[in-house]
C-alpha cells in the first residue's frame, strides 16, 4: 500500500512538472521574441538615425543653392544612407523643413522620418491574450536638426 501511495505521488509530480515546463516555455518564447523584435527595431532606428543625420547635414551644406535644391540633395543623401531593408512595410519618406530666424540670422533645417517594420515573434501575442492590440508591426522614428548662420561676406580689393 505504501508503494502505491509513493508511486501515485510521483506520477502527480511528473504532471506538475510538465505543466510548469509548458508555462515557462511560453513565457520564455514571449521574452525571446520581444528581445529579437526590439533588437530589430533598435537596428532599424540606428540606420534611420544615420540617414536622417546625413540628410540634415547635406541640406545645411547646400542651403546656399536654394531650398528646393537642398531638399533634393538631402533626400538623395537620406536614401543613400538608409538602404533597403526586408523588414520595412513601406520605404520611409523624409520630411524636410527649413526655417529662418531673422533675429539671430540663422537658417535651420529639420529632417524627420519614420518607418514601420514587421515583427516576427511578438505578432503571436494578441492570439494569446484576448482583446490585446495588434503587434504585427512596430513604428520607429528619428529626427535631426542643424543650424547654419547666414554668412555675410565682404571682399575689399584695394590697389592703391
Amino acid at each position: 500500500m505504501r508503494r502505491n501511495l509513493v508511486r501515485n505521488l510521483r506520477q502527480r509530480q511528473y504532471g506538475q512538472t510538465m505543466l510548469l515546463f509548458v508555462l515557462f516555455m511560453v513565457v520564455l518564447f514571449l521574452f525571446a521574441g520581444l528581445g529579437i523584435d526590439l533588437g530589430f527595431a533598435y537596428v532599424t532606428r540606428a540606420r534611420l538615425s544615420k540617414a536622417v543625420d546625413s540628410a540634415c547635414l547635406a541640406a545645411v551644406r547646400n542651403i546656399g543653392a536654394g531650398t528646393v535644391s537642398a531638399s533634393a540633395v538631402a533626400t538623395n543623401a537620406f536614401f543613400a544612407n538608409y538602404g533597403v531593408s526586408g523588414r520595412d512595410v513601406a520605404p520611409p519618406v523624409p520630411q524636410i523643413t527649413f526655417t529662418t530666424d531673422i533675429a539671430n540670422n540663422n537658417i535651420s533645417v529639420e529632417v524627420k522620418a519614420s518607418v514601420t517594420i514587421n515583427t516576427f515573434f511578438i505578432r503571436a501575442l494578441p492570439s494569446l491574450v484576448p482583446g490585446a492590440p495588434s503587434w504585427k508591426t512596430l513604428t520607429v522614428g528619428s529626427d535631426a536638426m542643424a543650424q547654419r548662420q547666414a554668412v555675410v561676406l565682404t571682399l575689399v580689393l584695394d590697389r592703391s
Side-chain angles (χ1 to χ4, degrees), residues 41-135:
Y42 180 78
V43 168
T44 302
R45 186 184 182 285
R47 290 178 51 231
L48 192 63
S49 180
K50 179 179 74 167
V52 165
D53 289 344
S54 67
C56 192
L57 291 175
V60 165
R61 192 173 343 158
N62 293 300
I63 196 74
T67 58
V68 174
S69 178
S71 276
V73 170
T75 303
N76 290 337
F78 177 84
F79 286 113
N81 283 291
Y82 184 72
V84 178
S85 174
R87 293 181 297 272
D88 296 349
V89 173
V93 177
Q95 300 170 351
I96 304 166
T97 307
F98 297 93
T99 56
T100 304
D101 183 14
I102 297 176
N104 295 326
N105 203 21
N106 290 334
I107 300 171
S108 299
V109 178
E110 185 176 9
V111 180
K112 294 181 180 182
S114 64
V115 65
T116 303
I117 61 171
N118 290 315
T119 58
F120 294 110
F121 295 102
I122 62 173
R123 69 177 45 221
L125 188 61
S127 64
L128 297 174
V129 180
S134 176
W135 291 97

Side-chain angles (χ1 to χ4, degrees), residues 26-53:
V26 169
V27 171
L28 180 66
F29 175 73
L30 289 176
F31 279 115
L34 184 67
I36 290 170
D37 285 337
L38 290 180
F40 284 144
Y42 180 78
V43 168
T44 302
R45 186 184 182 285
R47 290 178 51 231
L48 192 63
S49 180
K50 179 179 74 167
V52 165
D53 289 344

